[in-house]
Amino acid sequence: MIRYWRPDVDVRAVRFTRVLITLAVPQFAFPSSNADSSFWTTNAGAPVFNNDESLTVGPRGPVVLEDYHLVEKLAQFDRERIPERVVHAVGATAKGYFEVTDDVTDLTFADFLSSVGKKTDVLVRFSTVIPSRGQSQTIRDPRGFAVKFYTNEGNYDLVGNNMPVFFIRDGIKFPDMVHSFKPNPRTNLVENWRFVDFFSHHPESLHMFAHVFDDIGIPKDFRHMDGFGVHTFKWLTRDGKETFIKYHWKSKQGVESLMDDEAEAIGGADNVHATADLVKSIDAGDFPEWTLFVQTMDPAKASYLDFDPLDVTKTWPESEFPLRRVGRMVLNKNIDNFFNENEQAAFSPALVVPGITYSEDKLLQSRIFSYSDTQRYRVGPNYLTLPVNAPKAMHHNNHHDGPMNFVQRDGEINYFPSRFDPAVNAEKYPLSRESVCGIRQKTRIPKENNFAQPGELYRSWNPERRERFAMRIADNFLLQPRVTPELQRIWIDFWSQADEELGAKLKEKVNAVAGGETVVLNSP
């Protein structure tokens, strides 16, 4: 006869434990550390008297499939990871608050900006963009700078970067752009010729590359970098006034960056140094702080500029559109659980609040859909009910059911309107009144002006900084394996249109590597 082997156990103690479970645990205890029992249980709450050995036939096995705890433990482990973010996979998150320091009620009726001294809880996630999880935080790459404001009128996500511009201006190119930066699908190797090829069709990328391959291209850590909303947004007043807005986060710690050799040394020793720096500084009471500024523009001004102010590859000159202070953000608490509050944290520029809305920026319009859509795939359709993503304000709708909907509901009405449900529409608030009229077309914006601002940025640097930039462009673009003479000609032509001196430097470097033979280039 086969007998199931199990360790000796006092059956009376187990029965007594079961009685304690019934008496001590509330009937509807919400899953949290505060509801933990003092002994092991299954996910369903059944007691586990041995969490060290599997249930077997005899002391040596085989293992019995009816060992539910073993099956549950392994099945849970097999599913511990959700799909990593396609971009911004490597990141760190912290908590804090935003405090209004200056009156901006002449620009917006947003509640969280309604009075000086008003504070709003925030969650901030910093990240690299292209690398997958486990890769170094010293890579030359933009850094994500995403802020979730838990306002009284719902969550507002300001999802930006540490650089004021971006590579492309139309969201239809975003998948292609990311694919070009990601590893070769055949070899799984990152090969620069791929993005050199792709962006040779997109000269609007020069401004972003001028930032990425400048000395600021590798932030020292997350605390010592600025942040930008990147896009143009609209602030609205109750009387219908609309103002174009650009967001700027200025680090109180200052901006510090790593040179290439420093990044290599630090990254080789610690691939999560920026996360460690953020965690340790907050634990030590050295709370990082940023000041929020905005640039403002009357929409009527747009037609008089030599660039499109909604073009995400452009900055607004601060001499003409000065910074205006709004408030400060302090990060004073580390997250309690990395998976719950970093991996499952989900941001989307679609989440705005009354008084703030989107501009017609093509890339922003695409992100409004894409970011929320990727969170529904990555985390699940009910991702906004997770504590890290849920609003702290009272909320109500009929978006019920779906996978992993754990919200406790006992109502009978899940439709609207109904005479049996007292819920009504919220108080009406102003929307953008700008009229939009035109024919359907797929075309570029009229005022591209791709070369002026990259050239201005380059000429603002001292000679040593210019030389370092030219060397990085030569090494990472022009002299990479599989970069053809045609691609070299295109890129030198691009950079020459931005600045003739820079084009000449790059041409000289390419010719020098060519063994003294002059490469025919069509740069001006």
Side-chain angles (χ1 to χ4, degrees), residues 17-18 20-22 25 35 37 39-48 68-69 72:
T17 300
R18 288 173 180 164
L20 286 179
I21 292 172
T22 303
V25 179
S37 63
F39 48 85
W40 295 115
T41 73
T42 66
N43 284 350
V48 173
Y68 172 79
H69 177 56
E72 178 185 82

Side-chain angles (χ1 to χ4, degrees), residues 40-66:
W40 295 115
T41 73
T42 66
N43 284 350
V48 173
F49 63 79
N50 187 331
N51 195 24
D52 294 305
E53 287 89 23
S54 304
L55 183 65
T56 58
V57 179
R60 298 179 62 243
V63 172
V64 180
L65 184 61
E66 70 180 52

Side-chain angles (χ1 to χ4, degrees), residues 13-316:
V14 173
R15 289 173 179 166
F16 181 62
T17 300
R18 288 173 180 164
V19 172
L20 286 179
I21 292 172
T22 303
L23 295 177
V25 179
Q27 187 176 1
F28 295 108
F30 189 82
S32 72
S33 296
N34 295 329
D36 280 354
S37 63
S38 60
F39 48 85
W40 295 115
T41 73
T42 66
N43 284 350
V48 173
F49 63 79
N50 187 331
N51 195 24
D52 294 305
E53 287 89 23
S54 304
L55 183 65
T56 58
V57 179
R60 298 179 62 243
V63 172
V64 180
L65 184 61
E66 70 180 52
D67 187 347
Y68 172 79
H69 177 56
L70 168 68
V71 173
E72 178 185 82
K73 189 174 183 179
L74 293 178
Q76 182 81 23
F77 175 76
D78 294 343
R79 294 162 175 81
E80 279 185 355
R81 295 296 173 262
I82 58 179
E84 77 169 33
R85 295 167 171 88
V86 178
V87 288
H88 299 278
V90 182
T93 306
K95 302 174 184 178
Y97 64 88
F98 174 79
E99 180 182 11
V100 179
T101 58
D102 294 76
D103 184 11
V104 291
T105 54
D106 61 312
L107 298 173
T108 178
F109 64 91
D111 179 75
F112 78 104
L113 300 175
S114 61
S115 60
V116 172
K118 189 162 190 173
K119 291 184 177 182
T120 300
D121 290 345
V122 297
L123 180 84
V124 181
R125 187 174 189 270
F126 306 104
S127 57
T128 53
V129 177
I130 296 300
S132 299
R133 283 192 299 224
Q135 292 186 284
S136 174
Q137 293 177 335
T138 58
I139 190 171
R140 184 173 293 278
D141 188 53
R143 300 298 189 266
F145 196 118
V147 182
K148 185 183 295 292
F149 297 84
Y150 297 99
T151 87
N152 293 333
E153 294 187 312
N155 292 352
Y156 175 42
D157 286 359
L158 180 52
V159 191
N161 287 328
N162 72 319
M163 295 176 181
V165 292
F166 201 62
F167 297 99
I168 54 173
R169 61 170 65 99
D170 194 319
I172 200 169
K173 299 308 301 178
F174 193 82
D176 302 292
M177 180 201 74
V178 173
H179 289 165
S180 76
F181 281 125
K182 288 288 190 177
N184 185 321
R186 184 179 70 85
T187 64
N188 201 40
L189 299 175
V190 175
E191 297 170 337
N192 288 18
W193 65 266
R194 289 165 43 79
F195 72 76
V196 173
D197 173 35
F198 171 72
F199 285 108
S200 70
H201 302 275
H202 295 282
E204 68 268 27
S205 63
L206 261 67
H207 201 186
M208 184 62 171
F209 281 123
H211 284 83
V212 172
F213 286 93
D214 178 29
D215 288 351
I216 66 166
I218 309 176
K220 177 184 177 182
D221 49 56
F222 296 138
R223 293 185 302 127
H224 291 88
M225 67 182 193
D226 290 342
F228 301 88
V230 184
H231 297 287
T232 298
F233 294 86
K234 293 179 183 179
W235 277 7
L236 311 173
T237 62
R238 290 201 178 273
D239 61 5
K241 176 185 173 184
E242 300 187 13
T243 305
F244 284 158
I245 293 291
K246 283 271 196 181
Y247 292 101
H248 297 248
W249 294 104
K250 296 295 183 182
S251 171
K252 189 176 180 181
Q253 297 72 238
V255 174
E256 298 182 27
S257 305
L258 301 175
M259 292 294 105
D260 296 87
D261 56 341
E262 295 174 315
E264 186 174 346
I266 293 173
D270 182 1
N271 68 340
V272 292
H273 82 287
T275 297
D277 172 82
L278 181 66
V279 171
K280 291 176 182 178
S281 66
I282 294 176
D283 278 346
D286 182 13
F287 302 140
E289 182 175 333
W290 286 262
T291 303
L292 179 62
F293 295 88
V294 293
Q295 286 180 287
T296 66
M297 181 188 299
D298 181 347
K301 179 85 172 178
S303 61
Y304 299 99
L305 300 172
D306 64 357
F307 65 93
D308 187 337
L310 305 187
D311 181 357
V312 77
T313 71
K314 304 294 186 294
T315 57
W316 297 356

Side-chain angles (χ1 to χ4, degrees), residues 479 488 507-520:
L479 301 176
Q488 291 174 335
K507 182 176 180 178
E508 180 182 354
K509 294 180 186 302
V510 171
N511 287 336
V513 173
E517 297 183 10
T518 301
V519 178
V520 178

Side-chain angles (χ1 to χ4, degrees), residues 328-347:
R328 69 187 188 113
M329 179 174 68
V330 179
L331 300 183
N332 59 5
K333 188 177 188 304
N334 281 310
I335 56 177
D336 300 311
N337 182 278
F338 182 81
F339 181 80
N340 288 346
E341 297 177 292
N342 182 80
E343 293 302 286
Q344 291 194 130
F347 298 83

Side-chain angles (χ1 to χ4, degrees), residues 351-366:
L351 301 186
V352 295
V353 292
I356 301 174
T357 191
Y358 328 110
S359 74
E360 288 71 34
D361 170 358
K362 289 185 179 183
L363 185 61
L364 174 59
Q365 293 284 319
S366 300

Side-chain angles (χ1 to χ4, degrees), residues 481-497:
R482 297 184 66 176
V483 172
T484 64
E486 179 189 14
L487 286 171
Q488 291 174 335
R489 286 194 294 270
I490 291 171
W491 278 103
I492 291 180
D493 179 63
F494 283 171
W495 289 113
S496 296
Q497 291 184 66

